[in-house]
Amino acid sequence: MIVDKVLDAKGLACPMPIVKTKKAINELESGQVLEVHSTDKGAKNDLTAWAKSSGHELLKHEEENNVLKFWLKKG
Amino acid sequence: MGEKKKTTIVLFSGDYDKSMAAYIIANGAAAYDHEVTIFHTFWGLNALRKDEQIDVKKGFMEKMFGKMMPRGAEKMGLSRMNFAGFGPKMIKDVMKKHNAMSLPQLIEMAQEQEVKLVACTMTMDLLGLQQEELLENIEYAGVAAYLADAEDGNVNLFI
């Protein structure tokens, strides 16, 4: 997968992961992919809901050493 | 952009914790691309106060109110477990540990995200607060302006 931008949101608490993700995706073109790293336990539900409502596609997510990783395709 | 969703929040409370909740929701809603309005009334106006003393002409009652109310977000108390000001110190410590944003930071972030901050002019008069004492780049309005935003709103909260 080609990742166009990586956002490190590790250590940030609600609402920052979603605020930063929004800012980061604004800088991408439609179809480009953003990779987000977060340690916020709520991030999975938050990002899934946010992507759905904002018209972006959550391609994949995985957890690695307590870091949640997400790949979002801009809609 | 007529199809943008709207979030409107009435912030009535002047408590640090409740204001935090209001501003976290506002920032979240802004990230959802909503048009967000926070309408500050009564004690909620204190969140918009500048932290320094501003020289303005006031009557006795207005001066007293001004002295008794927290001057700015940083000085607000907690709705529970305030312990005469010790509670806020404890919670701010815990917040730092968990990397949570402070209320002043959340307000700044909201302004950055173009959340519309509105001060209710009627209650400003009651509490003797003047425009010079409040933050820059906020709006002044009454119930009708709030309802205009809220009537086609998707999320509407009273905190």
Side-chain angles (χ1 to χ4, degrees):
Chain A
M1 184 171 7
I2 299 161
V3 175
D4 298 283
K5 194 180 171 77
V6 179
L7 171 69
D8 182 6
K10 291 196 291 291
L12 299 178
C14 176
M16 289 319 291
I18 211 77
V19 171
K20 295 248 180 185
T21 302
K22 159 88 160 63
K23 273 191 185 162
I25 217 153
N26 273 354
E27 290 163 12
L28 294 183
E29 305 288 329
S30 178
Q32 288 188 310
V33 175
L34 173 70
E35 181 177 327
V36 183
H37 299 179
S38 172
T39 46
D40 177 17
K41 302 272 181 301
K44 187 174 171 275
N45 280 327
D46 270 12
L47 278 172
T48 308
W50 177 81
K52 194 174 166 214
S53 167
S54 313
H56 309 301
E57 192 186 345
L58 181 59
L59 300 170
K60 185 166 96 138
H61 67 85
E62 60 186 41
E63 194 174 342
E64 196 179 274
N65 303 325
N66 289 324
V67 178
L68 295 154
K69 293 183 178 178
F70 303 88
W71 287 267
L72 289 154
K73 189 174 167 186
K74 180 165 178 168
Chain B
M1 298 286 266
E3 81 239 69
K4 256 198 173 183
K5 288 187 175 167
K6 280 191 180 181
T7 289
T8 49
I9 299 171
V10 178
L11 181 58
F12 179 93
S13 167
D15 296 321
Y16 192 95
D17 43 357
K18 291 190 182 183
S19 304
M20 252 184 90
Y23 270 90
I24 288 174
I25 295 167
N27 277 301
Y32 258 81
D33 241 338
H34 288 194
E35 264 180 53
V36 189
T37 303
I38 308 181
F39 186 76
H40 300 71
T41 187
F42 277 92
W43 319 112
L45 286 168
N46 289 312
L48 299 176
R49 282 179 88 183
K50 291 176 185 156
D51 57 7
E52 75 262 39
Q53 187 163 3
I54 310 287
D55 260 338
V56 280
K57 254 203 153 120
K58 282 192 189 188
F60 176 72
M61 285 293 276
E62 285 81 14
K63 265 188 195 150
M64 290 303 285
F65 265 112
K67 283 213 159 44
M68 286 188 292
M69 296 187 301
R71 196 180 285 136
E74 187 56 32
K75 299 203 178 71
M76 287 176 159
L78 291 181
S79 65
R80 303 280 305 266
M81 308 205 301
N82 192 46
F83 303 136
F86 193 65
K89 284 203 177 72
M90 291 196 298
I91 203 134
K92 281 171 199 170
D93 258 16
V94 177
M95 280 163 54
K96 259 199 201 120
K97 211 178 279 173
H98 290 272
N99 237 336
M101 288 180 87
S102 69
L103 182 55
Q105 285 174 322
L106 284 166
I107 295 173
E108 206 185 302
M109 173 69 61
Q111 288 197 300
E112 228 172 82
Q113 295 207 85
E114 290 171 13
V115 170
K116 189 160 92 183
L117 304 182
V118 185
C120 162
T121 48
M122 194 280 276
T123 43
M124 277 174 69
D125 288 345
L126 291 186
L127 303 179
L129 292 172
Q130 300 182 18
Q131 295 197 4
E132 292 80 359
E133 296 176 88
L134 304 185
L135 300 179
E136 316 297 335
N137 302 320
I138 65 172
E139 295 183 24
Y140 298 89
V143 66
Y146 168 70
L147 287 169
D149 283 335
E151 73 173 351
D152 46 13
N154 304 81
V155 178
N156 185 27
L157 298 170
F158 184 96
I159 297 176

